[in-house]
Amino acid sequence: MTHASHSARLLEDWRENAHDLARGLAAYSGSRLVGGIARVIAKHPQANIANAFNHKQVDCKMWARDKLFESIGADCRRIIVLGGWYGVLSAMLLEDSRFDIEFAVSCDIDPAVEPVARTLNAAFGDRFHAMTADMHTLDYRALNADLLINTSCEHIAELRNWLDLLSPGTRVLLQSNDYFSEPTHISCVRSLEEFQAQARLARIDFAGALPTKRYTRFMLIGSV
């Protein structure tokens, strides 16, 4: 067996084992999200779902979900997640029984992630929608969301210019970080105070920092 074919076999074995593991965990836990991960492994082998669901990603999203509930309660019926990637945060929110979410949209500029997000969230039916769009060109009034979530503010060159596209009073959850060494992070901040100054929200219901091994993630929940 050649090195290439051996490597391909190992990769295929890993996918099969990961798929079986995810299916078993879904059956054990009853989690629609974990069931979605199993479907993604089977249907989209090219998707980097392991990175999207690694412990750091999950910790940051659980932090966002829990502080969101503590800050505004269950009342966020229509949610849009911008830079939503594979739709993991949407799934985590839809699966959380504390929230009364009727509809969640995961929006990303990369068209390759849209079918993966749909597969991941298939169990939520019409409550989930994936779309490909640039967040700077969306008609936010027409979308009529109760809450806009953007956990990738470090990727936005002028954060306040984007926030100015929203109607006054729009509720937002924003995250950024101080991971300056990542080339795609063009708008990192050094502190929570710098993030607050960058966003200039009219109202802040929560402001906090979550240290990780390589960087600190900052979060604001409030209104523009």
Side-chain angles (χ1 to χ4, degrees):
M1 180 181 291
T2 67
H3 177 73
S5 60
H6 179 66
S7 298
R9 181 66 254 178
L10 288 176
L11 181 59
E12 185 59 29
D13 288 345
W14 180 90
R15 286 174 181 154
E16 289 179 4
N17 291 335
H19 182 233
D20 286 343
L21 175 62
R23 288 181 66 195
L25 289 172
Y28 177 74
S29 65
S31 170
R32 287 174 286 181
L33 171 53
V34 178
I37 291 172
R39 288 190 299 274
V40 168
I41 293 170
K43 190 174 180 180
H44 306 281
Q46 80 289 350
N48 193 3
I49 192 66
N51 187 26
F53 209 73
N54 69 38
H55 72 280
K56 289 182 292 185
Q57 294 280 354
V58 171
D59 282 348
C60 291
K61 289 175 173 58
M62 289 179 63
W63 180 51
R65 183 186 63 181
D66 293 342
K67 293 304 179 183
L68 178 64
F69 181 76
E70 292 174 12
S71 300
I72 68 175
D75 187 23
C76 42
R77 298 184 182 277
R78 295 177 63 87
I79 293 175
I80 298 176
V81 182
L82 300 158
W85 200 9
Y86 293 146
V88 172
L89 181 54
S90 295
M92 290 175 69
L93 290 168
L94 286 167
E95 191 167 60
D96 193 324
S97 61
R98 293 177 297 177
F99 294 99
D100 297 325
I101 300 172
E102 296 175 355
F103 193 68
V105 176
S106 184
C107 176
D108 201 283
I109 199 170
D110 182 359
V113 305
E114 184 176 326
V116 181
R118 287 191 183 130
T119 298
L120 182 70
N121 287 273
F124 299 109
D126 292 340
R127 295 176 66 205
F128 176 79
H129 178 68
M131 64 184 297
T132 301
D134 183 335
M135 69 176 69
H136 293 91
T137 64
L138 289 173
D139 183 348
Y140 290 100
R141 290 181 182 273
L143 290 170
N144 192 30
D146 298 315
L147 174 71
L148 296 176
I149 298 176
N150 187 336
T151 62
S152 304
C153 294
E154 67 275 9
H155 293 276
I156 302 176
E158 297 291 340
L159 178 61
R160 188 61 227 186
N161 286 351
W162 169 68
L163 289 169
D164 285 340
L165 299 174
L166 312 182
S167 300
T170 299
R171 292 193 298 189
V172 294
L173 183 156
L174 308 174
Q175 286 188 358
S176 187
N177 59 56
D178 59 359
Y179 196 12
F180 287 89
S181 60
E182 168 55 50
T184 62
H185 291 181
I186 59 175
S187 191
C188 287
V189 291
R190 293 174 176 81
S191 66
L192 181 61
E193 292 74 21
E194 186 176 340
F195 190 31
Q196 290 175 282
Q198 186 186 68
R200 303 198 306 275
L201 296 181
R203 169 175 171 164
I204 295 178
D205 297 307
F206 172 83
L210 181 68
T212 70
K213 185 176 181 179
R214 293 187 177 181
Y215 58 86
T216 298
R217 185 169 288 271
F218 306 108
M219 182 164 66
L220 302 173
I221 301 173
S223 304
V224 298

